[in-house]
Amino acid sequence: MRKIWLTLVALCAAVPILGGPAALAEGAPQVTPQDHILGKADAPVTIIEYASLTCPHCAEFDRTTLPKIKEAWIDTGKAKLVFRDFPLDGLALRAAMLARCAPPQRYFGFIDTLFQSQNTWARATDPQQALGRIAKLGGMTDEQFQSCMKNEELANAVAASGQAAQKDYGVESTPTFFVNGAKLVGAKPYDEFDKALAAAQPKT
């Protein structure tokens, strides 16, 4: 696991969460074949979210704002959501690994469960054991969970997601969103997202 924690240390050093000048973004993030997408792949409006699974503001967005966006925009085929990891700590990194080890069709179910129960597993005496219980409820065996947690290549990929976001797009806090390239920082209320999504709609 040493390589995993060396990577995480490098990530934390590179991301000025509490201050400092923002990196200048060159362009905006684009959807890739590796992305997990909630909604129709051909939806005209793309929301790319950078979040940490231990971030309370990210959990608040998942609980209060995302359901409204999903109902009005995603389920109607007008928008899609791409979730990308920006782990703020080692526990967020392990939680992100767990979600990525789930079958693709269960990925967003795991993300939602991790946010909804964040106060429980993130504050547990043994957080990894708590993650193991979530894995089991999601259909993973203990062997699969342990193998997931030991996957250094996966850990490096999760950490690299945050590094790339900071370096390439100036992301320095969570949650940060890009709506068809327009940057929104913070868990904004639904009305602000609705305006941003409406402005991003292709003009007919």
Side-chain angles (χ1 to χ4, degrees):
M1 297 293 286
R2 179 173 172 78
K3 292 181 181 178
I4 295 176
W5 296 113
L6 288 175
T7 301
L8 182 61
V9 169
L11 169 63
C12 292
V15 181
I17 300 302
L18 299 178
L24 295 177
E26 293 291 335
Q30 304 295 317
V31 180
T32 72
Q34 291 74 40
D35 280 319
H36 291 89
I37 298 174
L38 181 65
K40 296 181 179 178
D42 61 352
V45 177
T46 301
I47 308 164
I48 296 180
E49 175 186 5
Y50 287 95
S52 173
L53 289 166
T54 54
C55 161
H57 298 295
C58 302
E60 181 66 16
F61 170 80
D62 184 85
R63 285 192 295 265
T64 63
T65 305
L66 182 56
K68 296 176 183 178
I69 295 175
K70 190 173 182 298
E71 180 181 7
W73 290 90
I74 296 174
D75 291 347
T76 57
K78 295 187 291 184
K80 60 181 176 288
L81 174 74
V82 173
F83 185 92
R84 290 184 180 172
D85 296 302
F86 194 89
L88 298 180
D89 51 49
L91 184 54
L93 185 143
R94 293 197 296 275
M97 291 170 66
L98 170 59
R100 292 195 188 198
C101 286
Q105 68 273 19
R106 295 184 184 177
Y107 176 79
F108 280 102
F110 269 84
I111 293 295
D112 186 57
T113 297
L114 288 162
F115 275 137
Q116 295 290 326
S117 61
Q118 184 189 84
N119 286 336
T120 301
W121 63 266
R123 298 181 180 181
T125 303
D126 187 340
Q128 184 155 314
Q129 186 179 66
L131 288 176
R133 288 193 290 269
I134 293 174
K136 187 174 182 179
L137 289 172
M140 294 175 64
T141 66
D142 184 62
E143 290 75 16
Q144 289 172 326
F145 173 70
Q146 294 300 332
S147 176
C148 178
M149 293 296 101
K150 295 174 183 177
N151 189 330
E152 293 187 1
E153 182 178 354
L154 177 58
N156 291 336
V158 171
S161 174
Q163 290 174 320
Q166 193 274 338
K167 178 182 177 181
D168 298 336
Y169 310 118
V171 176
E172 56 181 13
S173 62
T174 57
T176 293
F177 305 86
F178 292 86
V179 179
N180 273 13
K183 191 176 182 180
L184 289 176
V185 179
K188 306 292 187 186
Y190 173 72
D191 288 348
E192 290 192 39
F193 269 96
D194 189 57
K195 291 177 182 177
L197 291 164
Q201 269 197 307
K203 301 299 185 289
T204 56

